[in-house]
Amino acid sequence: MRVQLERKKVSATHMLKTTMKLEGVKGLYKGLSQPLLGAVPVKAIGFTATDYCKKELSRSYPQMSTT
């Protein structure tokens, strides 16, 4: 996000050094919790749906079962 807000071009190494100097290692992980909290339920629903579909399809088409 910080790179997007800069008016001039800034390299990734410059932004990394600046963040480390001003905020330390913790600054690199700031804002990471929100995407993780959003991704976990999405992935869980996807895995559950995939498993359910595989079970239902294997019942309907046992000749195509891969297990």
Side-chain angles (χ1 to χ4, degrees):
M1 182 67 157
R2 291 184 184 138
V3 175
Q4 294 173 347
L5 297 175
E6 288 290 325
R7 294 197 184 270
K8 58 183 178 169
K9 281 201 166 204
V10 179
S11 69
T13 54
H14 174 71
M15 193 55 68
L16 179 67
K17 288 177 185 177
T18 305
T19 302
M20 288 293 291
K21 187 169 98 176
L22 296 176
E23 301 179 43
V25 176
K26 192 174 181 181
L28 298 175
Y29 295 98
K30 191 191 314 186
L32 185 65
S33 60
Q34 291 302 318
L36 287 178
L37 289 174
V40 169
V42 169
K43 295 296 183 185
I45 291 168
F47 284 130
T48 303
T50 300
D51 190 47
Y52 175 78
C53 290
K54 285 170 88 174
K55 285 180 185 175
E56 289 300 314
L57 286 171
S58 68
R59 282 189 203 146
S60 299
Y61 303 99
Q63 70 275 14
M64 296 179 70
S65 178
T66 58
T67 56

